[in-house]
Amino acid sequence: IKLNSKEAYPEDLYDANRTLMMTKIPPPDSAEVREYVEKKLKGGRPNKNLRQFLENDCKVLSFDIVWDDNSYDGGLKFYKMDFFLADNTVEVREIREQNNGKDPYPKMLKRSKLPKEPVLTHCPGMKMKKDEYYEPADLKLGNTISIFSRPCLIYDCDEFTKQWYKEILNIDMVPIVFAKPRPLLKHQEVPPYLGYGSEEDSLASVKALITKPPKKDVQKMFKNDLHILRFDSKLISSNPDDDNRNFI
């Protein structure tokens, strides 16, 4: 008679639990133990970024960036990007120009950490992927960074940023020169007075489309009240009878 191979004995749960209890577990890290004891004794939480803050407080890397907006009313848009070394946060401010026809939005990005590939979710707790943020090594002149799906080119920086990259990262920051420079707004001179009304009335029509009556300088009126400048003058004439005529 041909029989099957023999089966193993069933596992004894008591012996398995006993073996697990007798297994030696390696001790935890000493730093974790100290942190646990400090919290248990009502101590404060350790601040791992305190040293970075104390060494780099008030140190800001300032960059000039440009975004080539391909939308209907887009074009080249220039921004100022500040990287704070104290906490590795980024702030992007728009460079305002007069009479450019755009709404005066103060900031493109408020001060926060800038992720390289942001993961947008409905709630913060739904984010399962750990974000990777931009560091100073990524912000070199000529590099293109993505600010929430907006590709921006870094083309210039200030003198402190150039010196910091040379001393810390040993990188020479060479600015990028555009073929077409940024348009500079020229100063518009005030047109000359034409003689209609007073000079203040004519100047009010230059400053606003809907003119308003000019405001009087009340302080000057009270300060110089009853102060009158009087001058003596004579008539320049070839007639000898006009020599004795005096005017005030």
Side-chain angles (χ1 to χ4, degrees):
I1 300 175
K2 188 176 181 179
L3 302 177
N4 296 331
S5 59
K6 60 180 180 179
E7 298 180 355
Y9 290 103
E11 183 180 4
D12 190 358
L13 296 180
Y14 175 78
D15 291 341
N17 293 335
R18 232 12 232 179
T19 304
L20 183 61
M21 292 174 58
M22 297 302 294
T23 303
K24 293 185 178 180
I25 302 176
D29 189 10
S30 59
E32 296 180 358
V33 175
R34 290 196 300 269
E35 183 178 352
Y36 169 76
V37 173
E38 185 176 359
K39 293 179 181 178
K40 191 174 181 180
L41 296 176
K42 309 298 181 181
R45 295 178 178 269
N47 189 355
K48 298 180 181 180
N49 300 325
L50 180 60
R51 182 176 181 179
Q52 179 184 0
F53 174 78
L54 295 177
E55 292 180 354
N56 300 312
D57 187 25
C58 298
K59 294 182 180 180
V60 182
L61 304 179
S62 182
F63 302 91
D64 294 329
I65 63 176
V66 59
W67 171 37
D68 189 6
D69 189 5
N70 297 324
S71 60
Y72 174 75
D73 56 345
L76 294 179
K77 298 181 179 179
F78 297 88
Y79 298 89
K80 201 78 173 180
M81 183 179 67
D82 297 331
F83 186 91
F84 298 88
L85 296 174
D87 52 359
N88 294 341
T89 54
V90 178
E91 182 182 68
V92 181
R93 296 176 286 108
E94 183 177 3
I95 300 178
R96 293 187 56 187
E97 296 179 357
Q98 296 181 355
N99 301 328
N100 57 0
K102 302 177 183 177
D103 292 333
Y105 290 102
K107 295 180 182 179
M108 178 182 179
L109 178 67
K110 67 177 183 179
R111 182 174 176 179
S112 59
K113 288 190 175 182
L114 180 59
K116 295 182 178 180
E117 296 181 359
V119 180
L120 304 179
T121 57
H122 297 284
C123 300
M126 297 175 60
K127 185 180 294 186
M128 303 298 294
K129 181 181 177 181
K130 188 176 180 181
D131 291 330
E132 184 179 359
Y133 301 101
Y134 280 102
E135 300 291 337
D138 304 321
L139 307 178
K140 302 177 184 177
L141 295 186
N143 290 2
T144 301
I145 62 175
S146 177
I147 304 178
F148 290 95
S149 302
R150 296 178 178 88
C152 298
L153 174 66
I154 307 175
Y155 67 92
D156 200 358
C157 59
D158 60 354
E159 293 298 328
F160 172 77
T161 304
K162 295 178 182 178
Q163 183 179 1
W164 188 89
Y165 270 88
K166 182 63 176 178
E167 295 178 356
I168 304 301
L169 301 180
N170 196 16
I171 298 177
D172 294 329
M173 305 288 277
V174 181
I176 299 176
V177 180
F178 291 99
K180 183 179 180 180
R182 291 175 51 190
L184 299 177
L185 296 177
K186 296 182 179 179
H187 176 68
Q188 187 176 3
E189 298 182 357
V190 179
Y193 174 60
L194 299 178
Y196 297 100
S198 62
E199 295 186 6
E200 290 79 5
D201 295 332
S202 300
L203 188 61
S205 63
V206 174
K207 293 182 178 179
L209 182 61
I210 301 176
T211 59
K212 297 181 180 179
K215 297 181 180 180
K216 296 182 179 180
D217 193 351
V218 182
Q219 294 183 359
K220 183 178 180 181
M221 292 174 58
F222 283 108
K223 184 178 180 181
N224 298 324
D225 188 23
L226 302 179
H227 290 184
I228 303 174
L229 302 179
R230 290 184 174 88
F231 301 92
D232 293 335
S233 61
K234 281 190 175 184
L235 181 64
I236 300 176
S237 175
S238 59
N239 190 355
D241 295 336
D242 295 334
D243 295 340
N244 298 327
R245 301 178 63 185
N246 297 325
F247 298 90
I248 298 179

